[in-house]
Amino acid sequence: MNANDYLQLALYLVALLLLAKPLGDYMALVFADAPNRVTRLGARVERGIYRACGIAADEDMGWKRYALAMLCFNMLGLLAVYALQRLQPWLPLNPQHMAAVSPDSAVNTAISFATNTNWQGYGGESTMSYLTQMLGLGVQNFLSAATGIAILMAVIRGFVRHSAKGLGNFWVDLVRSTLYVLLPLSLLLSIVLVSQGVVQNLRPFAEVPVVQASSYTEAVKDEAGKPRMAAAGHEVTHAVPVATQTLPMGPAASQIAIKQLGTNGGGFFNVNSAHPYENPTPLSDFLEVLAILLIPAGLCLTFGRMVGDRRQGWALLAAMLVIFVPLLLACTAAEQAGNPALHGLAVDQHASALQAGGNMEGKEVRFGIVGSARWAVATSAASNGSVNSMHDSYTPLGGLVPMWLIQLGEVIFGGVGSGLYGMLAFAVVAVFIAGLMVGRTPEYLGKKIEAYEMKMASLTVLLPCVLVVIGTAIAVMAPAGVAGVANPGAHGFSEVLYALSSASNNNGSAFAGLSANTPFWNVLLGVCMFLARFPLAIAMLALAGSLAAKRHVPATAGTLPTHTPLFVTLLACVVVVVGALTFLPALALGPIADYLGSMR
Amino acid sequence: MAKLLRQSLLMLLLLTAATGVAYPLLVTGLAQGLFPAQANGSLVLEHGGAVGSRLIGQSFTDPRYFWGRPSATSPMPYNAAASGGSNLGPNNPALVAAVRQRIAALRAADPGNTAPVPVDLVTASGSGLDPQISPAAAQYQVARVARLRGLSPAAVQALVRAHTAGRTWGVLGEPRVDVLELNLALDHLSTR
């Protein structure tokens, strides 16, 4: 790694922290109980929405009521995405005449976008109409993110309130997330992205002549669609001339802004943010990768303000960075070192003033190694899942980093809202472990942590782990699961493990060689995505409901302070130990075996 | 429960109108007003018609042109209607075989050039549509293009320089050369 690599990484972290603080403070005002200068701005719009929907905005919901409203709203959204995909040939804004999406793929995609996973079994530019992109996928980008933030706010109120029944109002949290946070930021980002060259229109695809005409050979098919065989036993082929190039179009910028900000990650085009129309320049790349972590980082500081002790927010952010930064450096270094398999060939993989060098398979020249690795680590730390390079072609160790970050439970920043409430579950586990060591009833933020809280926190921490491990076992035992694998050997197992890790932690990125648009994979991954989202959210709401009902315990000399470097270290260790103990055996069969194979 | 369903449905409709209709249409309007060229695909216009997009690469296999990144799109390279990478793992023998074959093709087009090939010229891009190559990959091809077109290497170097972009603000991204625009400029130079 050269000086510019370090500079680009440092610039990223500095920009993130500089922006996270004001955003965190702003969001604390947005979700404050008392009216303030921010919430007064949109008060009339808000009131109009609540009145139109017949909602009593002042209703303080208990955790069960809050969870029910969240579930009901999300299930309807899921159905809407399914219906749009199935009905798109008969609906407007379909200039490319996209056909109806198959039922299993449509279910998978509907779950994927409603759960903020945005796993994509399809290719956007060859599957979805503009209407489906806007009304289905784009809307869920907003609403799944807003749902995550809303649940987090309810969880925070569980810590803040005492001897209380309610956790706030789901509708108010949902509307405020959308109106005050997600919409303005997306509007701003999308316009800047357009200025860089991200397309934004409703036109049909453009046909342009190519400078150098060429042709490709294609098998001749008979009436039944089977390749026609010559007498000698080989396929009959013919040359197809290529004189034009079809350029995809569509309302991409508006969707890309929210898919980055809302940790959604579902690309408008098949190759996501590697596509030049989705991420055309180094500046668009910097802003998009910044947008991945912006709200999750800001929410840590919002948390600190809302619990009345900013140090608590900084402590959680510090614990995330303690894990994030070393992995960022590790991934970049592994990719910059290049692919040993090409060492014997006449290939120059060294970085110089004239080239980035390194392992460039699956990467774009404008991003080079550092821009690609930075994105891979950010997108897997957050549960974003968009990609600007193909993780499947990463070196074994370079690819291990994003896979393991996902397996850590999407709590190193994690999804908007969901990442922080996941991290709070880990914090509860951490104070419990500390309590065991000294023989005291653990407390966190003035609340006693007892058996019920521990059950809910453990459920939140362990359910995704179980889904990954059991799901991978099922997939590698089923012929239909193994059928999708593209690469031979240990790397093929990595593809399966990555897919299950991604779905079971609501990330959405892939080792994309895996052919996952089959009924088996669509159903398996759909189940994992669903179970990783809603049961966890309900468990955290139950935990918050129990905490809110408790009395506040004043801190004493025996209380473990949770804003100190000691606690930051403890918390980071708990996250790493759970992730390492659970996944080391599986990782040994995948990326680690792959790495040892490359050493021969 | 019926009341909750009604509230959810109305809320979904209202928020869909805001985030799925008003928002993308507002962005489209602003984009078309402020940055129409970018919003419509950054097309390269010549003689009133589009000859490509400056953001989307095209396939070049003629040794008289600068070649771009290998592309793994199907059924032909640089198929912009179906973007895609190779997704070959680093140890996959198919990747090594593909790289070998690309080195052989480059050497066959330029016998005598035994310099090691810059890695981006023999590895497939992530999108399959990468419009750019590294300056090293352009340098590797300058002598060949100049010879086959009967141009002086200095003239070709000047064109390469004119189509090279440095890091944004000296920091972000990587230096790169636009292949399509460079080749268009070459054609203009040759026909003049």
Side-chain angles (χ1 to χ4, degrees), chain B residues 17-29:
Chain B
T19 62
V21 180
Y23 162 71
L25 292 185
L26 176 64
V27 175
T28 307

Side-chain angles (χ1 to χ4, degrees), chain A residues 214-219 240-242, chain B residues 71-83:
Chain A
S214 61
S215 66
Y216 64 96
T217 52
E218 187 187 61
V240 183
V242 181
Chain B
S71 161
T73 60
S74 174
M76 71 287 201
Y78 288 92
N79 178 8
S83 56

Side-chain angles (χ1 to χ4, degrees), chain B residues 27-74:
Chain B
V27 175
T28 307
L30 288 170
Q32 293 291 335
L34 294 170
F35 308 106
Q38 290 96 318
N40 295 321
S42 307
L43 301 179
V44 181
L45 300 174
E46 277 188 7
H47 318 297
V51 294
S53 163
R54 62 176 49 86
L55 294 178
I56 306 288
Q58 293 187 5
S59 176
F60 290 100
T61 51
D62 185 335
R64 291 162 42 83
Y65 285 117
F66 281 89
W67 295 0
R69 303 285 308 276
S71 161
T73 60
S74 174

